[in-house]
């Protein structure tokens, strides 16, 4: 069992309010935890370290159910490790969220009739900092509401001085190792955010488009191409066909006329072209399509940019100044006038990329950008998982990880923004390019300018596991707490964040991965399995539920749905059920305290205990072992379920109820059972604390007089097991359950008392007669007792006198009617299943349904007949 002496500076109190009011407990309790420094980790401690860094939420963000879900699980892991004697660090912080934050401030300026260009770069960035101080970080306060046990003294921000130094340091190292380069490539361009975005920031969806077929060239030297983006033909520099396509052998190498222009373009042969798709000929626009760009490189084709950053056409007189969508209609109209449209426009569903932030259709665009050469970095990230240095949980998620890191394209890291880490490259008047490190002075003099772009937000957040601990300085925190133990995050950001951290951690920290385990969770969905979103009415603000039901109820509901890697459905009714559980804990503990539950003194010897006492202690230790195993395997749903059923079913519904007669009788046995109940509550509250910290701490400090469960001791399995006691109480449970079922079948009210004779002699049940009678509302026999129903169960006999409690004749009539209906249902099902013609024609699902009806009818007949047999004669 657990050692309580160190946790009892004061005598325990038996005083608890009659009802649990979370709002009156949670806020004050959390502030007490913080003030006492329970969450502050000590880098100089001799304790083994346990580290989790929080996935940094956007500075613009607020707590949503996805945050609440993952934070609950991270908090549970950290709290348990702290109780186990680890120096536990859960490090908080926020991401500067480049595009999202800049958009917020630009929206403010727009309301004032201004743009960022009216302010200039320096003043605009200062304005963003002001916004951050005034409006940013709301989520941090909301994390306190949830009960996050984070070390607030180590809170970090991706734009703070230390993390900015880390960004400059790793950029320079990568640049000098030729892993960062500048090149003109096709990028994803958002015409709304006016910046490049990476592949992983593009969301693809099936959009309705129109496919139009256009004839290029004249006569025999003509070819038909099909496109959904007719406006891009203004930038075509070739037509491509497959080298083995017999239809176009005579055209390969020739020049053909590009409609609407005064240009001719070549027909090139390229194996990328699928001769089976469409006409087998494709237009090639190297500056506006990634596949076309690669064809252009292979054939040394020119790249013509035809749109500006707003998606507005910049070439060819009639179309200059038109938006890309306006230009599409205008180009098709002009082609029709020339007779170039050989097939009318027809609907065509195709996959279209959208900016993940503003949902604008992304425009592929040739652009000069900064890139990370990911090849060697991605290989190292894959090797670290393959050789076992890093475990992915659940293991079947490894495939998704490898699919990404094994096929990763070079990463575009430059963004055309003003808010973020500015790229530390300076250009000289004579073409010089200088990378400036964090402790170096930039070049000065006429003609020197710094690159205007900033780095992708994921570049700085990819350093998070070590930059937050002080890197590049060799700090005490870095030595103590790196590598971190587990990264717990959603499977949806394997590509965004997990792979980035693996690449940078292995590179910067001499091959030492940033975490030992990657524990991937699913996404929170509504109770019907639908994705929650702000645009749908199913989105839920977790703070509303916390206000209504308490933070513990929200936390327990989320943990109870957390199967590894699987999505988590959640509905308000489930939160209410969890609220009922916290209330049950409160009321049962209050009852226990009022009836002698105590943690004072050692546990009595097993020889002094009743079988009920030994049973609950045996079950308690089994539960401790189960919960430990589930924690180590990140099986949060299973551990929450195990604790729920142990606490509610076994402790409160069985042990407390079975022990009431002992408590009411008083004496030595009541003292022994009171100490056992105190031990069981003590350990149960400890086990529950990491998931529902508020109510458990309030109850435990009252029960034990201890300082706080936050710094309490995690229970250990003492090894105590008593299989004989477990079997004995299982017999009691069988008797009580069977008689309760019979009472319900007969329509007896729960509190209705019934005279009964219990024949228990010679069975282990004899010692439990008083408890059985109390649980079942069974009165002594009395002189006029007449057994009208006899139930043999678990080797014993329970005889009941139902005369005066039910109308036997009416009950027999009702059951006979039910039996006839069940027998009719059985006959009809048998008739259909015995009809060969029916079976030959009926669908399998119809036949299966009828077989199910037959099975249910058989079960109903057996149940009703048993009820009739148990009734006395009318």
């Amino acid at each position: 069992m657990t050692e309580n002496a160190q946790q009892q500076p004061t005598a325990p109190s038996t005083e608890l309010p009659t009802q649990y009011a979370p709002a009156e407990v949670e806020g004050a309790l959390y502030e007490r935890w913080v003030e006492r420094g329970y969450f502050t980790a000590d880098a100089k401690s001799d304790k083994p370290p346990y580290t989790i860094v929080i996935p940094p939420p956007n500075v613009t963000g607020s707590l949503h159910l996805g945050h609440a879900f993952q934070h609950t699980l991270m908090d549970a892991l950290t709290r348990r490790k702290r109780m186990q004697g680890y120096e536990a660090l859960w490090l908080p912080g926020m991401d500067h969220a480049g595009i999202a934050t800049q958009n917020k401030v630009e929206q403010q300026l727009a309301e004032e009739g201004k743009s960022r260009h009216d302010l200039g770069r320096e003043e605009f960035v200062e304005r963003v900092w002001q916004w951050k101080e005034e409006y940013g970080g709301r989520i941090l306060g909301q994390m306190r509401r949830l009960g996050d046990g984070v070390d607030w003294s180590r809170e970090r921000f991706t734009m703070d001085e230390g993390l900015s130094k880390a960004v400059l340091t790793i950029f320079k190292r990568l640049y000098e190792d030729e892993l960062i380069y500048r090149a003109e490539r096709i990028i994803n361009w958002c015409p709304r955010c006016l910046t490049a975005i990476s592949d992983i920031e593009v969301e693809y969806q099936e959009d309705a488009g129109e496919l139009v077929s256009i004839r290029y060239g004249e006569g025999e030297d003509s070819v038909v191409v099909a496109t959904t983006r007719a406006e891009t033909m203004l930038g075509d520099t070739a037509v491509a066909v497959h080298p083995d396509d017999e239809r176009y052998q005579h055209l390969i190498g020739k020049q053909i006329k590009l409609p609407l222009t005064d240009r001719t373009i070549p027909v090139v042969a390229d194996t990328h072209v699928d001769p089976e798709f469409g006409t087998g000929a494709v237009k090639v626009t190297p500056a506006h399509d990634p596949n076309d760009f690669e064809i252009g490189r292979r054939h040394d084709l020119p790249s013509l940019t035809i749109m500006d950053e707003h998606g507005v056409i910049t070439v060819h007189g009639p179309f200059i100044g038109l938006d890309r969508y306006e230009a599409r209609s205008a180009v098709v109209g002009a082609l029709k006038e020339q007779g170039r449209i050989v097939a009318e426009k027809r609907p065509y569903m195709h996959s279209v990329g959208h900016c993940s932030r503003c949902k604008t259709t992304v425009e592929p665009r040739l652009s000069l950008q900064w890139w990370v050469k990911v090849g060697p970095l991605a290989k190292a990230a894959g090797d670290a998982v393959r050789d076992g240095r890093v475990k992915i949980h659940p293991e079947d998620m490894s495939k998704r990880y490898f699919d990404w890191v094994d096929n990763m394209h070079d990463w575009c890291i430059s963004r055309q923004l003003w808010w973020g880490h500015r790229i530390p490259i300076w250009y000289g008047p004579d073409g010089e390019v200088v990378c400036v490190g964090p402790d170096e002075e930039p070049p000065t003099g006429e003609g020197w300018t710094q690159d205007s772009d900033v780095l992708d937000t994921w570049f700085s957040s990819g350093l998070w596991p070590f930059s937050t601990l002080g890197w590049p300085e060799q700090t005490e925190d870095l030595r103590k707490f790196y590598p971190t133990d587990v990264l717990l995050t959603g499977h949806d950001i394997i590509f965004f964040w997990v792979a980035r951290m693996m690449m940078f951690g292995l590179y910067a920290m001499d091959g030492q991965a940033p975490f030992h385990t990657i524990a991937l969770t699913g996404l929170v969905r509504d109770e019907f399995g639908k994705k929650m979103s702000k645009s749908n009415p199913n989105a839920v603000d977790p703070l509303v539920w916390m206000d209504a039901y308490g933070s513990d109820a929200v936390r327990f509901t989320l943990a109870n749905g957390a199967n590894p890697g699987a999505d988590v459905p959640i509905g308000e009714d489930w939160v209410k059920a969890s609220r009922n559980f916290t209330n049950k804990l409160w009321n049962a503990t209050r009852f226990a305290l009022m009836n002698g539950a105590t943690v004072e003194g050692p546990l009595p010897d097993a020889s002094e205990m009743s079988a009920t006492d030994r049973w609950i202690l045996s079950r308690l230790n089994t539960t401790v072992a189960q919960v430990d195993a589930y924690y180590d395997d990140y099986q949060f749903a299973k551990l929450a379920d195990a604790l729920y059923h142990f606490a509610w079913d076994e402790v409160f519904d069985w042990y407390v109820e079975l022990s009431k007669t002992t408590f009411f009788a008083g004496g030595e046995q009541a003292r022994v059972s009171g100490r056992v109940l105190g031990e069981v509550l003590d350990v149960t509250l400890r086990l529950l604390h990491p998931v529902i910290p508020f109510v458990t701490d309030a109850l435990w400090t009252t029960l034990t007089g201890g300082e706080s469960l936050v710094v309490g001791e995690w229970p250990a399995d003492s090894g105590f097991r008593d299989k004989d006691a477990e079997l004995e109480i299982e017999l009691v449970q069988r008797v009580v359950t069977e008689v309760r079922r019979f009472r319900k079948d007969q329509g007896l009210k729960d509190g209705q008392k019934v005279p009964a004779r219990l024949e228990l002699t010679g069975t282990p049940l004899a010692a439990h007669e008083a408890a059985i009678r109390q649980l079942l509302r069974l009165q002594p026999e009395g002189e006029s007792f007449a057994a009208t129903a006899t139930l043999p169960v678990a080797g014993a006999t329970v005889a009941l006198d139902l005369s005066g409690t039910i109308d036997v004749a009416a009950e027999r009539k009702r059951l006979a009617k039910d039996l006839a209906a069940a027998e009719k249902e059985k006959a009809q099902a048998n008739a259909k299943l015995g009809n060969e013609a029916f079976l030959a024609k009926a669908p399998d699902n119809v036949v299966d349904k009828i077989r199910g009806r037959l099975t249910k009818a058989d079960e109903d007949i057996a149940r009703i007949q048993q009820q009739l047999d148990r009734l006395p004669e009318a």
Side-chain angles (χ1 to χ4, degrees):
M1 293 296 114
T2 58
E3 178 59 52
N4 291 302
Q6 297 177 354
Q7 304 296 328
Q8 293 179 187
T10 60
S13 166
T14 59
E15 295 298 319
L16 278 175
T18 55
Q19 290 184 322
Y20 178 49
E24 296 175 13
V25 172
E26 294 177 349
L29 190 53
Y30 186 85
E31 292 309 314
R32 192 181 313 148
W33 293 337
V34 174
E35 288 167 7
R36 292 180 178 179
Y38 293 155
F39 306 139
T40 305
D42 182 2
K44 297 179 181 178
S45 166
D46 292 332
K47 297 178 182 178
Y50 183 81
T51 316
I52 295 179
V53 291
I54 204 167
N58 286 355
V59 67
T60 60
S62 59
L63 191 75
H64 56 64
L65 273 174
H67 290 129
F69 170 54
Q70 292 180 359
H71 287 207
T72 293
L73 306 188
M74 285 184 277
D75 195 31
L77 291 172
T78 311
R79 286 177 181 270
R80 172 176 175 255
K81 285 297 183 179
R82 188 179 291 115
M83 294 174 74
Q84 286 181 315
Y86 286 79
E87 195 61 44
L89 169 61
W90 186 20
L91 194 148
M94 294 182 298
D95 191 280
H96 65 277
I99 295 177
T101 309
Q102 179 158 321
N103 282 347
K104 288 279 188 184
V105 179
E106 290 199 80
Q107 287 167 12
Q108 273 191 348
L109 289 174
E111 292 170 4
E112 301 169 15
K114 298 177 183 177
S115 75
R116 59 176 161 136
H117 300 285
D118 294 324
L119 273 64
R121 185 169 192 140
E122 288 187 14
E123 190 177 340
F124 176 78
V125 170
E126 179 58 33
R127 179 75 175 255
V128 180
W129 277 108
Q130 290 172 7
W131 182 93
K132 184 255 182 188
E133 293 304 316
E134 186 172 354
Y135 300 104
R138 179 174 45 161
I139 192 171
L140 298 179
Q142 295 167 341
M143 286 162 55
R144 302 171 89 93
R145 283 287 314 278
L146 187 64
D148 282 9
V150 296
D151 185 346
W152 292 110
S153 71
R154 286 179 167 85
E155 180 190 333
R156 304 306 297 268
F157 179 53
T158 50
M159 287 282 285
D160 69 27
E161 183 179 352
L163 270 64
S164 295
K165 182 177 182 179
V167 168
L168 295 176
T169 300
I170 200 161
F171 186 99
K172 186 171 177 68
R173 290 190 188 180
L174 289 164
Y175 181 79
E176 291 178 343
D177 286 345
E178 298 182 349
L179 292 172
I180 283 182
Y181 64 94
R182 194 183 194 209
E184 203 172 36
R185 299 278 189 276
I186 288 284
I187 49 93
N188 304 296
W189 180 265
C190 177
R192 161 64 182 78
C193 298
L194 296 180
T195 181
I197 58 177
S198 66
D199 291 344
I200 53 179
E201 294 168 302
V202 177
E203 294 177 347
Y204 287 91
Q205 65 186 47
E206 290 295 311
D207 283 1
E210 291 181 323
L211 196 66
V212 59
S213 297
I214 310 166
R215 183 177 299 281
Y216 288 14
E218 305 293 343
E220 290 186 358
D221 290 345
S222 68
V223 63
V224 175
V225 298
T227 181
T228 58
R229 305 183 68 215
E231 73 280 5
T232 62
M233 66 160 292
L234 301 174
D236 285 358
T237 57
V239 170
V241 297
H242 194 277
D244 298 332
D245 194 330
E246 294 289 339
R247 294 170 293 178
Y248 303 114
Q249 291 298 310
H250 68 290
L251 284 178
I252 295 173
K254 285 188 176 182
Q255 296 281 326
I256 61 174
K257 183 74 165 44
L258 179 65
L260 304 184
T261 74
D262 57 2
R263 294 190 290 118
T264 60
I265 57 176
V267 177
V268 299
D270 196 283
T271 55
H272 171 75
V273 179
D274 179 3
E276 301 298 322
F277 182 77
T279 64
V282 297
K283 59 193 288 297
V284 181
T285 320
H288 292 277
D289 183 275
N291 293 321
D292 292 3
F293 177 76
E294 295 302 326
I295 293 175
R297 291 179 70 180
R298 287 193 289 272
H299 298 278
D300 198 24
L301 300 173
S303 296
L304 302 181
T305 300
I306 64 164
M307 294 182 208
D308 66 11
E309 63 270 23
H310 297 279
V312 173
I313 302 298
T314 58
V315 300
H316 202 68
F319 310 110
I320 291 176
L322 295 181
D323 170 83
R324 52 185 169 161
Y325 300 114
E326 296 171 334
R328 185 170 302 169
S329 296
V331 166
V332 171
L335 289 168
K336 275 186 177 180
E337 288 181 10
Q338 292 189 6
R340 292 285 177 176
I341 302 296
V342 299
E344 286 299 318
K345 293 185 292 183
R346 55 187 176 87
Y348 182 73
M349 296 297 295
H350 58 142
S351 182
V352 178
H354 298 260
C355 174
S356 62
R357 290 176 177 83
C358 70
K359 311 308 176 188
T360 300
T361 300
V362 167
E363 188 65 43
R365 187 167 187 258
L366 187 63
S367 182
L368 185 62
Q369 302 282 347
W370 286 93
W371 304 79
V372 172
K373 186 185 294 183
V374 300
L377 302 174
K379 182 181 184 304
D383 290 345
V385 174
R386 286 188 169 95
D387 64 24
R389 280 175 287 159
V390 177
K391 304 288 187 186
I392 292 180
H393 186 89
E395 191 175 353
D396 59 10
M397 285 282 178
S398 298
K399 183 180 184 302
R400 295 187 65 182
Y401 177 81
F402 291 132
D403 284 347
W404 181 251
V405 297
D406 292 347
N407 300 287
M408 196 182 295
H409 301 297
D410 283 1
W411 172 19
C412 177
I413 57 171
S414 44
R415 298 291 180 268
Q416 289 64 56
L417 304 170
W418 286 356
W419 171 245
H421 296 100
R422 194 165 175 181
I423 290 178
I425 294 291
W426 292 73
Y427 305 106
D430 298 318
E432 302 95 332
V433 178
V434 176
C435 182
V436 179
D439 300 316
E440 300 170 350
E441 291 295 325
T444 58
E446 187 175 349
W448 282 94
T449 58
Q450 186 177 359
D451 195 297
S452 61
D453 290 349
V454 300
L455 287 162
D456 178 10
T457 296
W458 296 103
F459 189 95
S460 50
S461 60
L463 314 180
W464 190 252
F466 52 95
S467 63
T468 51
L469 297 173
W471 186 91
E473 307 302 327
Q474 292 302 307
T475 63
E476 284 186 333
D477 277 2
L478 192 64
R479 287 191 290 270
K480 176 76 173 180
F481 297 113
Y482 188 90
T484 67
D485 285 87
V486 60
L487 171 72
L488 190 143
T489 191
H491 61 63
D492 57 323
I493 60 171
I494 291 178
F495 324 122
F496 286 92
W497 192 44
V498 178
R500 309 296 191 212
M501 287 189 290
M502 285 288 284
M503 292 192 302
F504 281 167
L506 291 160
Y507 173 80
M509 300 300 292
D510 300 320
Q512 198 170 28
F515 18 75
H516 300 303
T517 301
I518 300 168
L520 297 170
T521 69
L523 308 179
V524 177
R525 296 182 177 273
D526 72 12
E527 58 193 303
F528 305 107
K530 294 181 179 178
K531 183 179 179 181
M532 287 189 178
S533 90
K534 293 179 181 177
S535 60
N536 291 336
N538 66 351
V540 174
D541 181 350
L543 295 168
V544 173
W545 281 353
M546 288 184 213
D547 289 340
Y549 309 113
S551 298
D552 283 332
V554 174
R555 290 172 61 117
F556 194 79
T557 306
L558 290 165
N560 209 20
N563 291 298
D567 288 348
V568 183
I570 184 171
E572 188 168 6
D573 286 346
W574 305 343
V575 183
K576 289 179 183 177
S578 295
R579 185 270 315 273
N580 294 343
F581 179 54
T582 61
N583 286 345
K584 182 77 169 180
L585 277 176
W586 186 272
N587 295 333
T589 303
R590 186 170 178 272
F591 170 85
L593 287 168
M594 293 170 62
N595 287 276
T598 179
V599 296
E600 294 180 343
L603 270 176
D605 188 77
S607 61
E608 302 176 55
M609 298 179 192
S610 67
T612 309
D613 294 334
R614 298 194 306 276
W615 163 73
I616 197 63
L617 289 176
S618 184
R619 293 296 306 132
L620 175 67
N621 279 285
T622 297
T623 303
V624 171
Q626 283 180 333
V627 169
D628 274 330
Y630 290 145
Y631 261 116
D632 292 341
D633 198 33
Y634 304 99
Q635 297 278 0
F636 295 99
K638 289 184 178 179
L639 71 89
D641 186 67
L643 286 169
Y644 175 91
H645 287 293
F646 175 72
W648 192 308
D649 299 346
E650 298 188 286
V651 180
F652 304 141
D653 280 359
W654 285 109
Y655 179 72
V656 169
E657 294 299 321
L658 286 170
S659 301
K660 278 184 178 178
T661 53
T662 301
F663 290 137
F664 295 160
E668 179 59 19
Q669 192 55 55
R671 184 196 68 79
V672 170
S673 293
R675 180 64 188 89
V676 170
L677 179 54
E679 182 73 10
V680 171
L681 287 174
D682 176 14
V683 174
T684 302
L685 292 170
R686 291 173 192 259
L687 290 172
L688 281 164
H689 175 74
V691 178
I692 48 174
F694 293 109
V695 67
T696 52
D697 201 39
L699 292 174
W700 185 84
T701 51
T702 303
L703 171 70
T704 69
E707 180 184 348
S708 173
L709 262 183
V710 182
V711 290
E713 182 182 339
W714 183 255
D717 175 7
S718 71
F720 179 83
R721 300 288 191 280
D722 192 323
K723 291 300 179 186
D724 290 339
E726 290 195 36
L727 290 171
E728 186 171 323
I729 301 305
E730 283 176 16
L731 292 177
V732 175
Q733 291 172 326
R734 283 176 56 193
V735 170
V736 172
T737 301
E738 187 65 23
V739 176
R740 279 177 174 166
R741 184 181 296 117
F742 176 75
R743 287 177 58 109
K744 184 177 180 181
D745 288 343
Q746 305 311 313
L748 296 176
K749 296 178 181 178
D750 290 343
Q752 190 171 354
K753 294 183 178 180
V754 178
R757 179 172 64 243
L758 274 60
E759 298 174 7
L760 310 177
T761 305
T763 74
L765 296 166
H768 303 280
E769 179 168 352
I772 291 171
R773 283 187 176 276
Q774 178 172 317
L775 287 169
L776 291 172
R777 306 292 190 269
L778 302 180
Q779 293 178 318
E781 301 170 41
E783 292 182 6
S784 60
F785 178 82
T788 58
T790 302
L791 282 72
V793 57
T797 301
V798 179
L800 303 173
D801 183 354
L802 300 179
S803 58
T805 61
I806 61 171
D807 185 335
V808 175
E811 186 63 14
R812 278 192 170 276
K813 185 176 180 181
R814 181 184 71 81
L815 290 173
K817 183 178 179 181
D818 290 347
L819 182 62
E823 288 173 337
K824 181 179 179 181
E825 175 74 5
K826 178 178 179 178
Q828 289 175 341
N830 273 327
K832 285 191 175 181
L833 293 174
N835 185 332
E836 293 296 333
F838 170 78
L839 293 176
K841 295 179 181 178
D844 290 345
N845 64 319
V846 172
V847 175
D848 288 342
K849 188 174 181 180
I850 293 171
R851 288 191 178 118
R853 284 168 50 191
L854 177 61
T855 299
K856 185 177 184 305
D858 281 334
E859 291 171 351
D860 288 346
I861 290 168
R863 175 179 55 79
I864 296 167
Q865 190 61 59
Q866 187 179 48
Q867 290 175 239
L868 281 166
D869 292 344
R870 287 172 171 173
L871 280 175
E873 293 298 324

